[in-house]
Amino acid sequence: MMIPHIGQAHTSIIIPSAGRTRTRQKTPMLKHCLESLSSLNPAPREIVVVIGDEYEGEPADYLSKMPIRVVHRGPGPFDFSRAVNTGVLISVSQQVLILNDDTEAEGTIWLQQMADHLQDPNVGAVGALLTYPNAHIQHIGIEFEQGQPIHLCRGKSPNEVPMVTASEPINVGAATGACLLMRKNDFLTVGGMSPEFPVSYGDVDLCLRLRRCGFRVVVDPKVQLTHHESSSRPPIIEDWEKERFTRRWSSNFEQLLENPSTAPRAKPADLLDPSHEEIMRLRDQNIALAVQLEGLRSHIASLRWSLTEQENTLREWKDRVSERDTRIAERDTRIAERDNLLAEKNRQLEARLSNRIRRKLNSR
């Protein structure tokens, strides 16, 4: 059974960013990324840029032209997982695209092409073909060797890889979070990005939890983006990250990869994962902020109503003062007319008295 279609116009794009530039360039990577997204038609519903204390520069200069919101993920060093969780939680769409700020896309409907695969309810995440600036493959899916993720066909020319021309999406073990499309509800169901993996492995861990719930992870090789990999941070994976990933998945790794479930279902065990605790904490925080925001909106609305009432009262008083001034002016006019009339009568009386006195004097 197909699910209702949701396209790129109903997608939130989540971009964690440190605001940095590539080597020998002055323009931030984020600006290049956003400029490439501006070609999408129809435009995505929103773009959520998640920044932290390490963010360099001021994004307002070039973000105002697009449907973009900027949110701070909180204090501390760069944390890709927390940034993604923060962005997804405040997003308003039913599906979300996690996107690195060091990617650049071409075309108007590539996001729609990715979204089309989510019509299949068994697909939980969709990735894309990512290439280096020299057009060689950086990512076309992730598989596993000795319990560690590896990028398929990395460094090869697309002409050397038959799967690049595949007409159907490629089923993979996982896909990179540099460009990963999901339903928001599925993201939340499996607990979002795990805080156990703040920089590396978070995307692979997320895909494996989706697969544990019965979803497929696919890559569409017809959707291609340029990825300036590791432009924003050194390409270093720490030993503790590898050990933590192995410890988390070693017990059921082979069974998970060889015998995936055929029907999507959320496992109650996922609710016990640290990632779920983290996403719930952030969700509660987001809800609390939303309540505060609604309270502020109500307070502002009340202030606006009070201000309107005061403006109406002031307008009435001004009208009354204007009417009073008009009456005073009319009264002053009548008084002036009366004074002129009295002055004229006085002149006439003085003239008659003067004539009488003159006649009496003459008669003597």
Side-chain angles (χ1 to χ4, degrees):
M1 182 180 69
M2 304 300 282
I3 63 174
H5 185 266
I6 302 174
Q8 68 184 29
H10 301 282
T11 300
S12 295
I13 300 179
I14 314 300
I15 307 179
S17 179
R20 294 172 184 160
T21 61
R22 293 196 294 271
T23 305
R24 302 187 191 89
Q25 291 193 5
K26 296 182 179 180
T27 305
M29 292 181 293
L30 178 61
K31 186 174 189 295
H32 290 291
C33 178
L34 292 174
E35 286 175 346
S36 72
L37 295 178
S38 66
S39 298
L40 286 171
N41 186 21
R45 185 169 183 181
E46 63 175 353
I47 299 174
V48 181
V49 177
V50 186
I51 64 175
D53 293 337
E54 75 286 345
Y55 189 87
E56 300 172 0
E58 175 54 55
D61 293 341
Y62 52 89
L63 298 187
S64 58
K65 300 177 182 178
M66 302 178 69
I68 294 177
R69 290 191 288 163
V70 180
V71 60
H72 198 290
R73 69 167 192 277
F78 182 77
D79 189 326
F80 183 79
S81 292
R82 176 162 292 182
V84 170
N85 288 342
T86 301
V88 172
L89 281 169
I90 70 164
S91 64
V92 296
S93 305
Q94 296 182 47
Q95 62 187 26
V96 292
L97 175 71
I98 305 168
L99 190 67
N100 275 18
D101 68 353
D102 59 356
T103 58
E104 293 180 49
E106 294 183 4
T108 62
I109 59 169
W110 58 268
L111 181 53
Q112 179 65 61
Q113 291 176 259
M114 295 180 70
D116 288 342
H117 298 299
L118 290 181
Q119 292 186 80
D120 183 347
N122 293 311
V123 173
V126 184
L129 168 61
L130 304 182
T131 61
Y132 293 109
N134 65 4
H136 285 193
I137 293 174
Q138 184 269 322
H139 173 83
I140 195 170
I142 294 172
E143 292 300 339
F144 301 88
E145 287 186 0
Q146 299 179 344
Q148 286 296 313
I150 60 168
H151 286 273
L152 294 170
C153 308
R154 189 168 193 161
K156 293 186 178 182
S157 168
N159 298 328
E160 304 175 47
V161 181
M163 69 175 68
V164 170
T165 59
S167 58
E168 297 295 329
I170 306 166
N171 290 310
V172 294
T176 177
C179 180
L180 190 65
L181 181 69
M182 298 179 59
R183 302 179 195 91
K184 181 177 178 178
N185 186 60
D186 296 338
F187 179 91
L188 296 176
T189 296
V190 299
M193 297 281 283
S194 174
E196 297 290 303
F197 305 103
V199 179
S200 301
Y201 292 104
D203 46 4
V204 180
D205 175 75
L206 175 64
C207 288
L208 289 178
R209 280 185 280 119
L210 281 167
R211 295 188 62 183
R212 188 170 63 182
C213 289
F215 290 107
R216 291 162 49 215
V217 178
V218 302
V219 166
D220 187 342
K222 296 187 296 297
V223 177
Q224 181 175 337
L225 290 81
T226 300
H227 185 199
H228 303 269
E229 187 186 28
S230 300
S231 295
S232 58
R233 63 180 180 86
I236 299 173
I237 298 178
E238 303 290 346
D239 289 339
W240 66 265
E241 296 175 300
K242 295 180 181 178
E243 293 171 2
R244 182 172 292 179
F245 179 81
T246 302
R247 185 168 61 251
R248 183 165 193 174
W249 290 103
S250 60
S251 61
N252 59 359
F253 194 77
E254 295 300 327
Q255 181 181 2
L256 171 66
L257 297 182
E258 293 177 4
N259 301 300
S261 174
T262 57
R265 62 183 185 278
K267 294 184 64 175
D270 288 333
L271 302 180
L272 303 178
D273 286 348
S275 57
H276 197 278
E277 179 181 346
E278 169 74 359
I279 201 75
M280 291 301 101
R281 184 190 67 78
L282 289 173
R283 185 192 66 176
D284 292 342
Q285 177 181 328
N286 188 58
I287 291 174
L289 290 173
V291 170
Q292 293 179 17
L293 179 61
E294 188 60 33
L296 288 173
R297 285 174 176 168
S298 298
H299 183 59
I300 290 172
S302 176
L303 290 176
R304 285 177 176 171
W305 179 85
S306 177
L307 179 61
T308 300
E309 289 294 304
Q310 292 179 16
E311 287 176 344
N312 291 336
T313 301
L314 179 60
R315 191 177 299 109
E316 292 177 0
W317 277 105
K318 286 182 176 179
D319 292 341
R320 292 180 183 179
V321 170
S322 178
E323 291 176 1
R324 187 194 63 182
D325 289 344
T326 300
R327 290 196 299 271
I328 291 174
E330 292 174 349
R331 185 196 63 186
D332 290 344
T333 299
R334 291 195 298 271
I335 291 174
E337 292 176 348
R338 186 189 62 184
D339 290 345
N340 291 335
L341 181 59
L342 290 175
E344 180 62 27
K345 288 182 176 180
N346 287 335
R347 285 195 296 273
Q348 292 177 358
L349 287 173
E350 289 176 356
R352 284 199 293 271
L353 288 173
S354 177
N355 290 334
R356 287 180 182 177
I357 291 172
R358 191 178 300 108
R359 283 198 300 269
K360 286 183 179 181
L361 293 173
N362 291 335
S363 63
R364 293 178 182 176

